[in-house]
Amino acid sequence: MRTLLLCSLILLLCTCDRATSESDPEAEKTAAMEASSAPAPEYAMVIHGGAGTILPENMTPERAAGIKAAMNAALDAGEAVLKAGGSAADAVEKTIWVMEDSPHFNAGKGAVFTNAGINEMDASFMTGHDQNAGAIGGVTNLKHPISGARAVLEKSEHVLLSGKGAEEFSILQGLETVDPKYFWTEHRWAALQRALEGEKVEQEKIEGNRIIEEIDRKYGTVGCVALDKSGNLAAGTSTGGMTNKRYNRLGDSPLIGAGTYADNATCGVSCTGWGEFFIRYAVAYDVHARMAYGNASVQDAADAVINKTLVEKGGTGGLIALDAKGNVAMPFNTPGMYRAYLKAGGEREIFFYKE
């Protein structure tokens, strides 16, 4: 009898041990869910300054310091708004202003040149509490294109205005315009000349039936997503497009759902990359959709779109995303992407390369 009781006790202990071992994965899942449900920060913000062939060996210390200083200044501008209780929309606009004023980024002052030797800029803006949106494309005299996009959102019944009409509308809203010569920078002009010369070389190679060297593309778009103390998200994107572009080409940046998206229920997104691919696969919206309909986390959703969908289709670039709990995602499939984020409490990070 005593032997039977002893065997039963041993069997019970083994069963308990096995049950505990089998429940470990579930316990880990529960712990992860509890971690993800941690209280959101009072506010948070994430920015990007473009993706592409960004490599340490191609970066001088002076240029790296200049880009980092510009990114810190942009973060400072947005955080000042958020810390004071301002709106996510105001934070996004003020942040992008700083980046549009810097020649380091392909937006505003640093915009690249078209094939015709002019600067044509695009921008978009979206607010997460109501999914209202505004965008402008192909403007040549607006000092801060992001403000033109926000004006379309707030002061018109439209979503996208382009060219002369967008410029006329912006002037009527009292936005600051400049002589197009303001956007001229020596390094962007030199880049156009290299691109034009490259076209000649490429054509010669085609005619000679020789292998064509792949063109090195850089995507210097800037963007920002912010979460304010009221729990509202806003996202904005601004760009000069692609060097040597023709025919009033528009990329993803002024297209809601391709380059920019925001919904308080899921996340805010701003993209940078080869725009034609981001348009075809509605990249910004796809991140939102994976969260809304598939219950994916912002990190998983963003990673799947950039590192699976786009890679499989041959698209290159990256994005930044921020959810209503302050979780940040910054995936990219290029050698580098200028990116940074901050959260209330002093957390702040800036990255250039694959870390």
Side-chain angles (χ1 to χ4, degrees):
M1 184 67 177
R2 289 166 61 185
T3 302
L4 180 61
L5 288 173
L6 181 60
C7 290
S8 298
L9 180 59
I10 293 172
L11 180 61
L12 179 60
L13 289 172
C14 289
T15 303
C16 289
D17 286 343
R18 184 166 61 251
T20 301
S21 175
E22 290 173 352
S23 67
D24 279 347
E26 189 61 34
E28 291 176 5
K29 182 178 179 181
T30 300
M33 291 177 64
E34 289 174 351
S36 67
S37 62
E42 270 196 311
Y43 59 82
M45 189 170 70
V46 58
I47 65 173
H48 71 76
T53 309
I54 300 168
L55 297 168
E57 56 265 33
N58 298 334
M59 183 72 66
T60 64
E62 294 77 16
R63 178 167 171 75
I67 294 171
K68 186 173 183 179
M71 295 180 77
N72 267 317
L75 291 172
D76 288 343
E79 185 168 31
V81 173
L82 296 172
K83 186 179 289 187
S87 70
D90 285 346
V92 167
E93 184 175 24
K94 296 297 184 184
T95 298
I96 293 180
W97 272 15
V98 174
M99 301 181 83
E100 287 177 334
D101 286 342
S102 171
H104 289 299
F105 309 108
N106 177 16
K109 177 62 178 175
V112 299
F113 286 91
T114 69
N115 178 266
I118 61 176
N119 310 98
E120 293 178 349
M121 294 156 288
D122 317 318
S124 59
F125 206 105
M126 189 166 184
T127 46
H129 68 283
D130 58 1
Q131 291 80 65
N132 199 4
I136 57 171
V139 296
T140 61
N141 65 353
L142 192 57
K143 185 176 183 180
H144 292 121
I146 193 65
S147 294
R150 187 179 183 185
V152 174
L153 181 159
E154 295 179 340
K155 300 177 180 180
S156 82
E157 66 274 29
H158 307 300
V159 172
L160 175 60
L161 301 180
S162 65
K164 296 300 181 183
E167 293 175 356
E168 181 182 355
F169 173 81
S170 297
I171 292 171
L172 290 174
Q173 305 312 312
L175 300 183
E176 184 176 2
T177 57
V178 293
D179 187 306
K181 294 179 181 178
Y182 163 82
F183 300 106
W184 192 95
T185 58
E186 183 176 355
H187 73 288
R188 296 300 192 196
W189 183 254
L192 173 63
Q193 304 317 305
R194 290 194 299 271
L196 292 172
E197 181 62 28
E199 282 187 347
K200 295 177 185 177
V201 172
E202 184 176 355
Q203 184 63 32
E204 290 170 0
K205 289 181 179 179
I206 292 173
E207 292 174 352
N209 290 320
R210 286 178 285 173
I211 296 174
I212 301 171
E213 183 178 354
E214 183 179 355
I215 297 172
D216 176 27
R217 299 180 185 272
K218 295 182 178 65
Y219 316 108
T221 304
V222 306
C224 175
V225 184
L227 170 68
D228 63 30
K229 291 183 178 181
S230 297
N232 291 319
L233 290 163
T237 309
S238 181
T239 189
M242 283 185 170
T243 298
N244 198 30
K245 65 184 179 182
R246 303 186 188 206
Y247 316 121
N248 303 119
R249 175 262 187 190
L250 295 174
D252 63 302
S253 296
L255 301 184
I256 300 302
T260 303
Y261 201 79
D263 187 331
N264 281 2
T266 53
C267 64
V269 182
S270 174
C271 301
T272 172
W274 193 340
E276 280 67 18
F277 286 87
F278 283 69
I279 295 169
R280 291 179 189 128
Y281 302 105
V283 166
Y285 180 82
D286 193 13
V287 176
H288 151 80
R290 288 170 184 268
M291 295 179 69
Y293 308 128
N295 295 318
S297 69
V298 66
Q299 185 66 60
D300 288 346
D303 275 335
V305 176
I306 293 297
N307 292 313
K308 189 174 187 298
T309 301
L310 278 187
V311 168
E312 289 175 352
K313 300 297 184 180
T316 54
L319 64 81
I320 54 171
L322 177 66
D323 71 14
K325 295 181 180 179
N327 296 308
V328 173
M330 304 181 291
F332 56 99
N333 59 32
T334 52
M337 182 171 81
Y338 300 127
R339 62 205 189 279
Y341 75 90
L342 64 78
K343 296 183 182 181
E347 184 178 353
R348 178 186 290 212
E349 297 285 351
I350 296 177
F351 306 97
F352 287 9
Y353 317 110
K354 287 187 181 295
E355 305 296 335

PDB file of all heavy atoms in Angstrom, residues 276-300:
ATOM      1  N   GLU A 276       7.802  54.282 -56.901  1.00  0.00           N
ATOM      2  CA  GLU A 276       6.918  53.502 -57.757  1.00  0.00           C
ATOM      3  C   GLU A 276       6.490  52.197 -57.078  1.00  0.00           C
ATOM      4  O   GLU A 276       5.338  51.763 -57.191  1.00  0.00           O
ATOM      5  CB  GLU A 276       7.605  53.203 -59.091  1.00  0.00           C
ATOM      6  CG  GLU A 276       7.577  54.358 -60.097  1.00  0.00           C
ATOM      7  CD  GLU A 276       8.405  55.560 -59.683  1.00  0.00           C
ATOM      8  OE1 GLU A 276       9.278  55.435 -58.796  1.00  0.00           O
ATOM      9  OE2 GLU A 276       8.185  56.647 -60.240  1.00  0.00           O
ATOM     10  N   PHE A 277       7.384  51.575 -56.328  1.00  0.00           N
ATOM     11  CA  PHE A 277       7.049  50.342 -55.616  1.00  0.00           C
ATOM     12  C   PHE A 277       6.146  50.620 -54.418  1.00  0.00           C
ATOM     13  O   PHE A 277       5.227  49.853 -54.124  1.00  0.00           O
ATOM     14  CB  PHE A 277       8.322  49.620 -55.167  1.00  0.00           C
ATOM     15  CG  PHE A 277       9.059  48.957 -56.292  1.00  0.00           C
ATOM     16  CD1 PHE A 277       9.991  49.656 -57.040  1.00  0.00           C
ATOM     17  CD2 PHE A 277       8.803  47.633 -56.621  1.00  0.00           C
ATOM     18  CE1 PHE A 277      10.669  49.049 -58.093  1.00  0.00           C
ATOM     19  CE2 PHE A 277       9.475  47.012 -57.674  1.00  0.00           C
ATOM     20  CZ  PHE A 277      10.404  47.726 -58.405  1.00  0.00           C
ATOM     21  N   PHE A 278       6.414  51.716 -53.735  1.00  0.00           N
ATOM     22  CA  PHE A 278       5.589  52.066 -52.584  1.00  0.00           C
ATOM     23  C   PHE A 278       4.165  52.404 -53.016  1.00  0.00           C
ATOM     24  O   PHE A 278       3.210  52.160 -52.279  1.00  0.00           O
ATOM     25  CB  PHE A 278       6.221  53.232 -51.826  1.00  0.00           C
ATOM     26  CG  PHE A 278       7.392  52.833 -50.971  1.00  0.00           C
ATOM     27  CD1 PHE A 278       8.582  52.422 -51.540  1.00  0.00           C
ATOM     28  CD2 PHE A 278       7.296  52.865 -49.588  1.00  0.00           C
ATOM     29  CE1 PHE A 278       9.664  52.041 -50.754  1.00  0.00           C
ATOM     30  CE2 PHE A 278       8.368  52.489 -48.785  1.00  0.00           C
ATOM     31  CZ  PHE A 278       9.558  52.074 -49.368  1.00  0.00           C
ATOM     32  N   ILE A 279       4.028  52.947 -54.220  1.00  0.00           N
ATOM     33  CA  ILE A 279       2.694  53.230 -54.762  1.00  0.00           C
ATOM     34  C   ILE A 279       1.983  51.934 -55.121  1.00  0.00           C
ATOM     35  O   ILE A 279       0.833  51.712 -54.740  1.00  0.00           O
ATOM     36  CB  ILE A 279       2.796  54.138 -56.007  1.00  0.00           C
ATOM     37  CG1 ILE A 279       3.336  55.516 -55.627  1.00  0.00           C
ATOM     38  CG2 ILE A 279       1.426  54.268 -56.678  1.00  0.00           C
ATOM     39  CD1 ILE A 279       3.721  56.376 -56.818  1.00  0.00           C
ATOM     40  N   ARG A 280       2.663  51.072 -55.850  1.00  0.00           N
ATOM     41  CA  ARG A 280       2.036  49.828 -56.313  1.00  0.00           C
ATOM     42  C   ARG A 280       1.536  48.962 -55.165  1.00  0.00           C
ATOM     43  O   ARG A 280       0.499  48.307 -55.288  1.00  0.00           O
ATOM     44  CB  ARG A 280       3.046  49.018 -57.137  1.00  0.00           C
ATOM     45  CG  ARG A 280       3.413  49.633 -58.475  1.00  0.00           C
ATOM     46  CD  ARG A 280       4.434  48.771 -59.196  1.00  0.00           C
ATOM     47  NE  ARG A 280       4.942  49.457 -60.376  1.00  0.00           N
ATOM     48  CZ  ARG A 280       6.235  49.627 -60.647  1.00  0.00           C
ATOM     49  NH1 ARG A 280       7.152  49.154 -59.819  1.00  0.00           N
ATOM     50  NH2 ARG A 280       6.608  50.252 -61.745  1.00  0.00           N
ATOM     51  N   TYR A 281       2.266  48.970 -54.062  1.00  0.00           N
ATOM     52  CA  TYR A 281       1.909  48.068 -52.975  1.00  0.00           C
ATOM     53  C   TYR A 281       1.350  48.799 -51.754  1.00  0.00           C
ATOM     54  O   TYR A 281       1.267  48.212 -50.669  1.00  0.00           O
ATOM     55  CB  TYR A 281       3.117  47.198 -52.618  1.00  0.00           C
ATOM     56  CG  TYR A 281       3.557  46.422 -53.831  1.00  0.00           C
ATOM     57  CD1 TYR A 281       4.701  46.780 -54.543  1.00  0.00           C
ATOM     58  CD2 TYR A 281       2.777  45.384 -54.345  1.00  0.00           C
ATOM     59  CE1 TYR A 281       5.064  46.116 -55.703  1.00  0.00           C
ATOM     60  CE2 TYR A 281       3.129  44.725 -55.510  1.00  0.00           C
ATOM     61  CZ  TYR A 281       4.275  45.090 -56.176  1.00  0.00           C
ATOM     62  OH  TYR A 281       4.621  44.444 -57.339  1.00  0.00           O
ATOM     63  N   ALA A 282       0.936  50.064 -51.952  1.00  0.00           N
ATOM     64  CA  ALA A 282       0.257  50.834 -50.899  1.00  0.00           C
ATOM     65  C   ALA A 282       0.930  50.597 -49.551  1.00  0.00           C
ATOM     66  O   ALA A 282       0.303  50.203 -48.573  1.00  0.00           O
ATOM     67  CB  ALA A 282      -1.218  50.463 -50.837  1.00  0.00           C
ATOM     68  N   VAL A 283       2.224  50.848 -49.505  1.00  0.00           N
ATOM     69  CA  VAL A 283       3.045  50.440 -48.370  1.00  0.00           C
ATOM     70  C   VAL A 283       2.573  51.014 -47.038  1.00  0.00           C
ATOM     71  O   VAL A 283       2.432  50.281 -46.052  1.00  0.00           O
ATOM     72  CB  VAL A 283       4.524  50.802 -48.629  1.00  0.00           C
ATOM     73  CG1 VAL A 283       5.346  50.718 -47.350  1.00  0.00           C
ATOM     74  CG2 VAL A 283       5.095  49.859 -49.683  1.00  0.00           C
ATOM     75  N   ALA A 284       2.343  52.318 -46.975  1.00  0.00           N
ATOM     76  CA  ALA A 284       1.936  52.911 -45.697  1.00  0.00           C
ATOM     77  C   ALA A 284       0.610  52.331 -45.216  1.00  0.00           C
ATOM     78  O   ALA A 284       0.450  52.006 -44.034  1.00  0.00           O
ATOM     79  CB  ALA A 284       1.841  54.427 -45.840  1.00  0.00           C
ATOM     80  N   TYR A 285      -0.337  52.186 -46.130  1.00  0.00           N
ATOM     81  CA  TYR A 285      -1.635  51.624 -45.754  1.00  0.00           C
ATOM     82  C   TYR A 285      -1.511  50.153 -45.374  1.00  0.00           C
ATOM     83  O   TYR A 285      -2.208  49.672 -44.473  1.00  0.00           O
ATOM     84  CB  TYR A 285      -2.637  51.779 -46.893  1.00  0.00           C
ATOM     85  CG  TYR A 285      -4.004  51.213 -46.548  1.00  0.00           C
ATOM     86  CD1 TYR A 285      -4.905  51.959 -45.797  1.00  0.00           C
ATOM     87  CD2 TYR A 285      -4.370  49.933 -46.948  1.00  0.00           C
ATOM     88  CE1 TYR A 285      -6.144  51.438 -45.453  1.00  0.00           C
ATOM     89  CE2 TYR A 285      -5.602  49.407 -46.612  1.00  0.00           C
ATOM     90  CZ  TYR A 285      -6.492  50.164 -45.861  1.00  0.00           C
ATOM     91  OH  TYR A 285      -7.707  49.636 -45.518  1.00  0.00           O
ATOM     92  N   ASP A 286      -0.617  49.442 -46.024  1.00  0.00           N
ATOM     93  CA  ASP A 286      -0.469  48.015 -45.747  1.00  0.00           C
ATOM     94  C   ASP A 286      -0.023  47.785 -44.304  1.00  0.00           C
ATOM     95  O   ASP A 286      -0.451  46.824 -43.658  1.00  0.00           O
ATOM     96  CB  ASP A 286       0.536  47.392 -46.723  1.00  0.00           C
ATOM     97  CG  ASP A 286       0.499  45.864 -46.710  1.00  0.00           C
ATOM     98  OD1 ASP A 286      -0.442  45.298 -46.140  1.00  0.00           O
ATOM     99  OD2 ASP A 286       1.411  45.247 -47.282  1.00  0.00           O
ATOM    100  N   VAL A 287       0.849  48.651 -43.793  1.00  0.00           N
ATOM    101  CA  VAL A 287       1.257  48.528 -42.391  1.00  0.00           C
ATOM    102  C   VAL A 287       0.023  48.664 -41.490  1.00  0.00           C
ATOM    103  O   VAL A 287      -0.203  47.860 -40.580  1.00  0.00           O
ATOM    104  CB  VAL A 287       2.314  49.580 -42.028  1.00  0.00           C
ATOM    105  CG1 VAL A 287       2.656  49.505 -40.535  1.00  0.00           C
ATOM    106  CG2 VAL A 287       3.579  49.379 -42.861  1.00  0.00           C
ATOM    107  N   HIS A 288      -0.769  49.695 -41.759  1.00  0.00           N
ATOM    108  CA  HIS A 288      -2.020  49.896 -41.002  1.00  0.00           C
ATOM    109  C   HIS A 288      -2.933  48.687 -41.123  1.00  0.00           C
ATOM    110  O   HIS A 288      -3.490  48.206 -40.125  1.00  0.00           O
ATOM    111  CB  HIS A 288      -2.727  51.149 -41.513  1.00  0.00           C
ATOM    112  CG  HIS A 288      -4.214  51.122 -41.369  1.00  0.00           C
ATOM    113  ND1 HIS A 288      -4.859  51.400 -40.180  1.00  0.00           N
ATOM    114  CD2 HIS A 288      -5.192  50.819 -42.269  1.00  0.00           C
ATOM    115  CE1 HIS A 288      -6.175  51.273 -40.340  1.00  0.00           C
ATOM    116  NE2 HIS A 288      -6.394  50.928 -41.593  1.00  0.00           N
ATOM    117  N   ALA A 289      -3.110  48.175 -42.325  1.00  0.00           N
ATOM    118  CA  ALA A 289      -4.052  47.081 -42.564  1.00  0.00           C
ATOM    119  C   ALA A 289      -3.631  45.811 -41.838  1.00  0.00           C
ATOM    120  O   ALA A 289      -4.480  45.082 -41.289  1.00  0.00           O
ATOM    121  CB  ALA A 289      -4.169  46.812 -44.066  1.00  0.00           C
ATOM    122  N   ARG A 290      -2.345  45.529 -41.816  1.00  0.00           N
ATOM    123  CA  ARG A 290      -1.873  44.334 -41.119  1.00  0.00           C
ATOM    124  C   ARG A 290      -2.152  44.426 -39.620  1.00  0.00           C
ATOM    125  O   ARG A 290      -2.414  43.414 -38.957  1.00  0.00           O
ATOM    126  CB  ARG A 290      -0.373  44.135 -41.369  1.00  0.00           C
ATOM    127  CG  ARG A 290      -0.051  43.684 -42.787  1.00  0.00           C
ATOM    128  CD  ARG A 290       1.451  43.738 -43.066  1.00  0.00           C
ATOM    129  NE  ARG A 290       1.723  43.401 -44.450  1.00  0.00           N
ATOM    130  CZ  ARG A 290       2.000  42.185 -44.900  1.00  0.00           C
ATOM    131  NH1 ARG A 290       2.034  41.163 -44.038  1.00  0.00           N
ATOM    132  NH2 ARG A 290       2.245  41.964 -46.171  1.00  0.00           N
ATOM    133  N   MET A 291      -2.115  45.640 -39.099  1.00  0.00           N
ATOM    134  CA  MET A 291      -2.431  45.827 -37.684  1.00  0.00           C
ATOM    135  C   MET A 291      -3.937  45.769 -37.448  1.00  0.00           C
ATOM    136  O   MET A 291      -4.414  45.135 -36.499  1.00  0.00           O
ATOM    137  CB  MET A 291      -1.874  47.169 -37.206  1.00  0.00           C
ATOM    138  CG  MET A 291      -0.354  47.249 -37.237  1.00  0.00           C
ATOM    139  SD  MET A 291       0.260  48.864 -36.703  1.00  0.00           S
ATOM    140  CE  MET A 291      -0.168  48.840 -34.953  1.00  0.00           C
ATOM    141  N   ALA A 292      -4.689  46.421 -38.343  1.00  0.00           N
ATOM    142  CA  ALA A 292      -6.137  46.505 -38.160  1.00  0.00           C
ATOM    143  C   ALA A 292      -6.847  45.181 -38.373  1.00  0.00           C
ATOM    144  O   ALA A 292      -7.766  44.821 -37.630  1.00  0.00           O
ATOM    145  CB  ALA A 292      -6.717  47.557 -39.114  1.00  0.00           C
ATOM    146  N   TYR A 293      -6.430  44.431 -39.391  1.00  0.00           N
ATOM    147  CA  TYR A 293      -7.156  43.210 -39.761  1.00  0.00           C
ATOM    148  C   TYR A 293      -6.441  41.920 -39.356  1.00  0.00           C
ATOM    149  O   TYR A 293      -7.064  40.869 -39.281  1.00  0.00           O
ATOM    150  CB  TYR A 293      -7.397  43.197 -41.269  1.00  0.00           C
ATOM    151  CG  TYR A 293      -8.041  44.456 -41.776  1.00  0.00           C
ATOM    152  CD1 TYR A 293      -7.501  45.174 -42.842  1.00  0.00           C
ATOM    153  CD2 TYR A 293      -9.196  44.967 -41.169  1.00  0.00           C
ATOM    154  CE1 TYR A 293      -8.085  46.352 -43.292  1.00  0.00           C
ATOM    155  CE2 TYR A 293      -9.778  46.138 -41.612  1.00  0.00           C
ATOM    156  CZ  TYR A 293      -9.218  46.832 -42.672  1.00  0.00           C
ATOM    157  OH  TYR A 293      -9.795  47.994 -43.112  1.00  0.00           O
ATOM    158  N   GLY A 294      -5.130  42.033 -39.082  1.00  0.00           N
ATOM    159  CA  GLY A 294      -4.385  40.835 -38.714  1.00  0.00           C
ATOM    160  C   GLY A 294      -3.848  40.863 -37.303  1.00  0.00           C
ATOM    161  O   GLY A 294      -3.151  39.939 -36.881  1.00  0.00           O
ATOM    162  N   ASN A 295      -4.140  41.966 -36.581  1.00  0.00           N
ATOM    163  CA  ASN A 295      -3.681  42.112 -35.199  1.00  0.00           C
ATOM    164  C   ASN A 295      -2.161  42.035 -35.054  1.00  0.00           C
ATOM    165  O   ASN A 295      -1.651  41.621 -34.007  1.00  0.00           O
ATOM    166  CB  ASN A 295      -4.341  41.058 -34.293  1.00  0.00           C
ATOM    167  CG  ASN A 295      -5.844  41.243 -34.182  1.00  0.00           C
ATOM    168  OD1 ASN A 295      -6.325  42.358 -34.046  1.00  0.00           O
ATOM    169  ND2 ASN A 295      -6.580  40.153 -34.267  1.00  0.00           N
ATOM    170  N   ALA A 296      -1.443  42.406 -36.097  1.00  0.00           N
ATOM    171  CA  ALA A 296       0.018  42.411 -36.023  1.00  0.00           C
ATOM    172  C   ALA A 296       0.490  43.592 -35.181  1.00  0.00           C
ATOM    173  O   ALA A 296      -0.184  44.625 -35.089  1.00  0.00           O
ATOM    174  CB  ALA A 296       0.612  42.502 -37.423  1.00  0.00           C
ATOM    175  N   SER A 297       1.646  43.453 -34.570  1.00  0.00           N
ATOM    176  CA  SER A 297       2.265  44.582 -33.874  1.00  0.00           C
ATOM    177  C   SER A 297       2.807  45.544 -34.920  1.00  0.00           C
ATOM    178  O   SER A 297       2.991  45.173 -36.086  1.00  0.00           O
ATOM    179  CB  SER A 297       3.399  44.105 -32.978  1.00  0.00           C
ATOM    180  OG  SER A 297       4.485  43.632 -33.766  1.00  0.00           O
ATOM    181  N   VAL A 298       3.082  46.771 -34.511  1.00  0.00           N
ATOM    182  CA  VAL A 298       3.604  47.743 -35.468  1.00  0.00           C
ATOM    183  C   VAL A 298       4.950  47.278 -36.020  1.00  0.00           C
ATOM    184  O   VAL A 298       5.238  47.464 -37.209  1.00  0.00           O
ATOM    185  CB  VAL A 298       3.703  49.154 -34.828  1.00  0.00           C
ATOM    186  CG1 VAL A 298       4.730  49.199 -33.700  1.00  0.00           C
ATOM    187  CG2 VAL A 298       4.033  50.199 -35.889  1.00  0.00           C
ATOM    188  N   GLN A 299       5.776  46.646 -35.183  1.00  0.00           N
ATOM    189  CA  GLN A 299       7.070  46.159 -35.646  1.00  0.00           C
ATOM    190  C   GLN A 299       6.910  45.031 -36.657  1.00  0.00           C
ATOM    191  O   GLN A 299       7.543  45.026 -37.713  1.00  0.00           O
ATOM    192  CB  GLN A 299       7.913  45.673 -34.463  1.00  0.00           C
ATOM    193  CG  GLN A 299       9.322  45.251 -34.846  1.00  0.00           C
ATOM    194  CD  GLN A 299      10.176  46.411 -35.337  1.00  0.00           C
ATOM    195  OE1 GLN A 299      10.393  47.378 -34.607  1.00  0.00           O
ATOM    196  NE2 GLN A 299      10.664  46.337 -36.569  1.00  0.00           N
ATOM    197  N   ASP A 300       6.062  44.062 -36.346  1.00  0.00           N
ATOM    198  CA  ASP A 300       5.867  42.932 -37.259  1.00  0.00           C
ATOM    199  C   ASP A 300       5.253  43.377 -38.580  1.00  0.00           C
ATOM    200  O   ASP A 300       5.632  42.897 -39.651  1.00  0.00           O
ATOM    201  CB  ASP A 300       4.987  41.869 -36.601  1.00  0.00           C
ATOM    202  CG  ASP A 300       5.701  41.119 -35.486  1.00  0.00           C
ATOM    203  OD1 ASP A 300       6.937  41.223 -35.402  1.00  0.00           O
ATOM    204  OD2 ASP A 300       5.013  40.446 -34.688  1.00  0.00           O
TER     205      ASP A 300
END
